[in-house]
Amino acid sequence: MRALLSIICALLLTVTSAECFRVLQAASYRPQRGYVKILFSWYFLSLLFGQLIALLIFHISEFITVGIYAALAIAWSVVKRKCPLKFTKRIIRMLAVEYVCIFTLCYFVGVSFWACVLPLLALLAWLICLPVDVMIAKYYLKKATEKLRQSGVTVIAVTGSYGKTSVKDMLSVLIDNSIAPSGSCNTPLGISTYINNTDLNGRQYLILEFGARKIGDIKELCRLFKPLYGVLTGVCAQHLSTFGSIDNVLQAKCELPKCLPQDGFCVVNSSDEFAEKILEVGDCAKHLSYENLQIETLGVDFDGTKLRVTVDGETREMCLPQISDYVKDTFAMCLQMALKLGQTLDQTLARVGDVKQTPHRMELMKGANCYILDDSYNGSIVGVKSCCATLKNFHCVKVAITQGLVECGRNSHKLNVECGKFLGSVCDVAVVLGVNASSLAEGLNKTDCKVVFAQNLTQAVALANKYVNGGIILFQNDLPDVVNL
């Protein structure tokens, strides 16, 4: 009976620990990058509560402990996450190791003591698997870099604090004979997996997104995948919980132009406040995105953004499906890159019809009784400001559902107050939730916007539906992928 009870409890606790591995995976399997935050989450609080109940009643019946573990496993299995756990081979190995550890503890010590130590047991499983995982990672990285070298494909790298995925996606459409991963594939192993699973034969350009959470990350990506050309979208206060300061963010992003060879070049967003500083670093040529070209916004509506483009005296009009205020800057960076690679204006504009909206980044959709503006992957104050500038173009009821900005470190309160001010300047109603709710409300209360508090996303959506009246519901930052309206 003890063995059977240990097997069941170990299975339930392993299922519950998936949240620990999700956080670890989001930190690129580097616990020092914020894994400790799990100890200050509702998840860990629920583990402590379950552990307390289990300790109080274990002397009555260990089967009640099984029920508690089952409740925890079910509860945390149904919670939807914006970035859910990906069950890779690495994760499956760690889950298997953790299961063996938990079973051993349950069998030889007892079943009622292990819920609150799941974050530590997940770390133990990571540590046990680390030597094997390092060897496997080196193998796949070497395989990808060798395949890339033999293919002869030219790599174009895109980095910055914001707009990386939007630029990468648009570039892959506008530049002839190019290819790019979908979504935010921007880590060494993520990029390696894509290269190893993709046929590069016949392709001229591979467009990669380079992400970073600390100084040195982009330098390492450049060492592995050796871009010849680059795009730097801009720098702002994002991921400050790992970078520490805006100066460190700037230093990290500037690693791209520093690593590009002399015969390469980097396109820099003219609209970014740090553009002039970026132009000073590295030996490669740097080109501002609006160098020798002009782009004018003619109008924005529910069908997209109409632009007038002028290059060397040639003027063309076009329409992009995106409605974001920054789409003009995004297009300017992409067009500048295409022109510098030798494409003509007409060749580039001929491909505009294939450009799509980037999911979760100012993505406009028609709901049942309103329009939905999904900006749930926007994690910077620059993005919020741009989003609000876009909303000014629409004369209807606007309701924001927001959890504010995350990973802002010591600047969290200040930035979320600012975020509230921006949202309040254009929205009629703001539904706030999460740990930043009070900071958001502080900023919103300085405007005429009505502030409504919600306990969870389901309640927030219900409240927003009461006010929207056929207008626009904005989902701003750190919200789940799928929302039913």
Side-chain angles (χ1 to χ4, degrees), residues 135-198:
M135 287 190 295
I136 292 173
K138 285 183 177 179
Y139 167 75
Y140 283 117
L141 284 170
K142 183 178 180 180
K143 180 180 178 182
T145 53
E146 182 62 21
K147 179 179 179 180
L148 187 59
R149 186 187 64 80
Q150 292 181 352
S151 71
V153 173
T154 299
V155 174
I156 301 173
V158 181
T159 194
S161 298
Y162 53 87
K164 295 185 294 294
T165 305
S166 298
V167 170
K168 181 257 301 177
D169 288 350
M170 189 178 289
L171 270 178
S172 67
V173 174
L174 296 181
I175 295 179
D176 187 36
N177 201 18
S178 64
I179 191 172
S182 60
S184 298
C185 175
N186 57 24
T187 63
L189 284 178
I191 294 172
S192 294
T193 299
Y194 173 77
I195 292 173
N196 288 328
N197 295 331
T198 302

Side-chain angles (χ1 to χ4, degrees), residues 14-66:
T14 301
V15 171
T16 305
S17 71
E19 175 67 7
C20 301
F21 290 105
R22 186 191 72 83
V23 175
L24 190 60
Q25 191 176 67
S28 301
Y29 302 104
R30 297 179 183 180
Q32 69 272 23
R33 295 189 178 185
Y35 180 75
V36 70
K37 289 180 181 179
I38 201 168
L39 301 179
F40 304 95
S41 66
W42 285 107
Y43 168 75
F44 187 63
L45 187 63
S46 72
L47 295 184
L48 288 176
F49 180 74
Q51 183 70 79
L52 178 62
I53 300 299
L55 290 174
L56 288 174
I57 55 85
F58 82 95
H59 61 281
I60 301 173
S61 173
E62 289 184 327
F63 288 101
I64 299 178
T65 300
V66 175

Side-chain angles (χ1 to χ4, degrees), residues 10 116 130 373 482:
C116 67
L130 188 59
L373 184 55
V482 179

Side-chain angles (χ1 to χ4, degrees), residues 397-401 423 426-431 444 448-452 463-464 467-468:
V397 176
K398 286 159 277 193
V399 181
I401 298 177
L423 292 172
V426 295
C427 293
D428 302 284
V429 181
V431 184
L444 287 160
D448 295 328
C449 180
K450 180 180 178 64
V451 183
V452 182
L463 290 168
Y467 294 101
V468 69

Side-chain angles (χ1 to χ4, degrees), residues 250 254 257-258 268 274-284 286:
L250 176 61
C254 283
K258 284 181 180 179
V268 180
F274 293 97
E276 292 300 323
K277 290 185 178 180
I278 296 169
L279 294 177
E280 297 172 0
V281 304
D283 295 327
C284 69
K286 269 79 66 180

